Amino acid sequence: MKIKNISIAVVLLDQLSKYLVVHFCNRGQSIIVLKNILSFTYIDNPGAAFGFMAETQPWIRIPFFVLITIGAGLIVYSYQRLIPREKVWQRFSLGLIWGGAMGNFIDRVFYRQVVDFIDVEKISFWNYHFPFIFNVADSCITVGLTILISIYVFDKSAQTEGLA
């Protein structure tokens, strides 16, 4: 499984979803997808996940995110070279992480902020409102990290090899 192909698919899906939101919704507009569960609410997020550094001046924030993305890219690139091809889930998760990072990186470089729109209103069995709005790239990063952590925690062979 090629990490590059997964990453490209994630970037294309992320950028297409953001394009549709930007061109067919107004900022702040909410479109109900599943009543009381999921809406698409278009916001611009100048910060990172959960609004981290959103209030920081752009001349600090933008170079910071560029450097972090480059650093993360080098880590993912180096790490993926150590993972054998048969470790499909690890490679898949790295593709998700890298694609998500690149999707948000594209927004930051061209627009100085990230388009967010996925608004989980309530998790029905807890009656809990998730307080953050996010996007496809954020979702892919989260799923990729969850897979990697799960493999490391639950796969004894990954622990002994030192390669999650």
Side-chain angles (χ1 to χ4, degrees), residues 46-121:
F50 312 120
F52 174 69
M53 291 184 73
E55 302 300 320
T56 306
Q57 294 295 321
W59 65 273
I60 294 172
R61 184 181 64 239
I62 293 169
F64 173 79
F65 288 134
V66 168
L67 290 173
I68 290 294
T69 303
I70 291 169
L74 291 172
I75 290 168
V76 169
Y77 176 76
S78 300
Y79 182 61
Q80 64 91 24
R81 296 177 58 80
L82 300 173
I83 298 174
R85 295 228 179 260
E86 62 270 6
K87 301 251 180 197
V88 176
W89 283 105
Q90 289 91 328
R91 298 182 75 73
F92 177 73
S93 64
L94 288 177
L96 291 176
I97 294 166
W98 182 239
M102 289 312 301
N104 283 339
F105 181 73
I106 289 167
D107 284 11
R108 281 194 214 331
V109 168
F110 290 105
Y111 311 113
R112 297 182 173 218
Q113 56 196 2
V114 174
V115 172
D116 285 337
F117 62 93
I118 301 171
D119 186 3
V120 179
E121 295 178 24

Side-chain angles (χ1 to χ4, degrees), residues 14-25:
D14 176 63
Q15 291 298 302
L16 175 63
S17 66
K18 290 172 181 175
Y19 173 86
L20 293 172
V21 167
V22 167
H23 286 85
F24 293 105
C25 297

Side-chain angles (χ1 to χ4, degrees), residues 142-161:
T142 302
V143 169
L145 285 171
T146 301
I147 292 169
L148 267 184
I149 291 167
S150 297
I151 290 168
Y152 184 74
V153 169
F154 298 112
D155 184 354
K156 299 299 180 197
S157 66
Q159 293 173 12
T160 58
E161 293 171 9

Side-chain angles (χ1 to χ4, degrees), residues 17 21 38-43 115-121 130 132-137 139:
S17 66
V21 167
L38 176 68
S39 293
F40 288 160
T41 304
Y42 170 24
I43 65 167
V115 172
D116 285 337
F117 62 93
I118 301 171
D119 186 3
V120 179
E121 295 178 24
F130 188 71
F132 305 104
I133 298 173
F134 52 98
N135 59 43
V136 172
S139 301

